[in-house]
Amino acid sequence: MALDRDVFDQLIGTVRRFVAEKLVPREAEVADADQMPADIVRKMRGLGLFGLSIPQGYGGLGLSVEEEVRIIIELGRTSPAFRSTFGTNNGIGSQGIVIDGTQAQKRKYLPPLASGEIVGAFALTEPGSGSDAKSLTASARKKGSDYILNGTKRFITNAPTAGLFTVMARTDPENKGAGGISAFLVEAGIPGLTLGPPDKKMGQQGAHICDVIFEDCRVPAEALIGGVEGQGFKTAMKVLDRGRLTISGMCIGNAERLIADSLRYAREREQFGAPIAEFQLVQAMLADSETECYAARSMVMDAARRKDAGESITKAAAMCKFYCSEMVGRVADRAVQIHGGAGYIAEYGIERFYRDVRLYRLYEGTSQIQQLIIAREMLKEAAR
Ligand code: CAA
């Protein structure tokens, strides 16, 4: 535990109340307007939610992975767009600096990320490079002591509001592998950096993504993460290992919410002269969802504790992301089924979660990429 138990219990209680009292009532408003209200963002900043994972020495709460996951599960009890507002600051938009940044990079960027003064984004994916991240073609050519960035990054979460991008680009054009890729910290608004229009998405309205385009964009040598070329792909993979645990936490929180909504509806809704919760076929769906959610929570807690103990969690994080994202998909599907026609109607909010959770099986590595990572790690272990 990074925090004193009482302090952590207070924090989790505060987040639980914030979710129930301030976020849940505004889910439909955020989704309909596709906009995160400024007063909500202010409250999130006030609660320290932008800096959950950032070390205390840099203005964050410095939570352990286990603590962070427990907070994320609470935040999962409402629409994922809320967590997305500060999710990148705790995860993919800051962890490259936390894990591999120089002292100067940490001092410069972590405090404003922790306070929410700036939003961080992670620019790995490209039009031609998604699952095969190593094939990226964005380039960073050395010119004097600067680097000149060219290329397009695609589907970049929080890019429209970002103040800082962690950008993976190829510094060695001769090296088409991971060793040719470096990671850079690029501030928004500099010449040569432009944004595409926000993409229209299937779900998670209120959270925005767009293209980030670099055209002869000059950044100083100090922008190179860790000051070392050729490490950018590994930095990205380490960031994703951690990110996959927090995404798993969101899947669990969303599943818990959907199960609670389904249970309530099943107890209230009467058919054939009785609440539908009394029918065994409905009970089977509830039981399946509850059991799978419990399994997911148990595995993520175990992986988080192992990460906190300093173990490599590449395989465990992939297993968590794979299982939890598939699990919440099944839970959301059953929630629609239990709600019947109401599950298909916007007013009840269930269909919105059904669309929202579909993303978990795609971003930060598809289910198929997680399977590939798990099997590869198994084979490596067997060969040792
Ligand atoms: N930690 C540290 N190093 C790692 C690593 C890890 N978890 N995984 C791989 N590496 C290292 C390898 O050891 C290897 O190092 P050497 O060259 O020194 O041997 C190097 O990185 C290359 O690894 P591989 O040869 O295994 O690479 P690969 O191309 O065969 O496979 C992959 C890698 C697992 C498929 C990877 O490309 C991957 O995870 N793909 C999915 C990409 C992804 O998740 N994208 C999500 C984008 S971000 C996002 O979605 C958020 C958003 O904003 C929407």
Side-chain angles (χ1 to χ4, degrees), residues 88 92 122-125 130-135 154-158 178-179 209 233-235 237-238 240-241 244 314 359 362-366 369-370 372-373 376-377 380:
T88 48
I92 53 180
F122 180 76
L124 175 66
T125 300
S131 290
D132 184 8
K134 208 165 66 180
S135 69
R154 180 138 294 173
F155 307 146
I156 306 306
T157 301
N158 284 342
I209 64 172
F233 186 79
K234 287 185 186 172
T235 298
M237 292 299 113
K238 288 184 266 184
L240 287 170
D241 276 351
R244 286 167 184 159
T314 299
L359 181 60
L362 304 172
Y363 72 172
E364 298 205 22
T366 61
I369 287 296
Q370 309 310 326
L372 184 147
I373 294 171
R376 275 187 186 185
E377 292 297 316
K380 274 194 224 164

Side-chain angles (χ1 to χ4, degrees), residues 257-325:
R257 161 70 183 272
L258 285 161
I259 293 167
D261 284 359
S262 300
L263 191 58
R264 187 171 49 246
Y265 187 81
R267 294 174 72 232
E268 285 168 2
R269 171 77 176 161
E270 294 196 0
Q271 287 295 280
F272 304 104
I276 61 168
E278 288 183 15
F279 302 133
Q280 290 180 339
L281 292 178
V282 172
Q283 290 177 358
M285 287 190 276
L286 289 168
D288 283 352
S289 292
E290 183 79 345
T291 306
E292 290 184 29
C293 189
Y294 176 61
R297 189 185 251 271
S298 305
M299 75 193 289
V300 174
M301 284 305 150
D302 175 68
R305 284 180 197 128
R306 290 211 254 147
K307 172 87 177 144
D308 285 330
E311 284 182 43
S312 162
I313 50 128
T314 299
K315 185 176 80 172
M319 291 194 291
C320 288
K321 163 80 161 59
F322 175 45
Y323 184 78
C324 295
S325 60

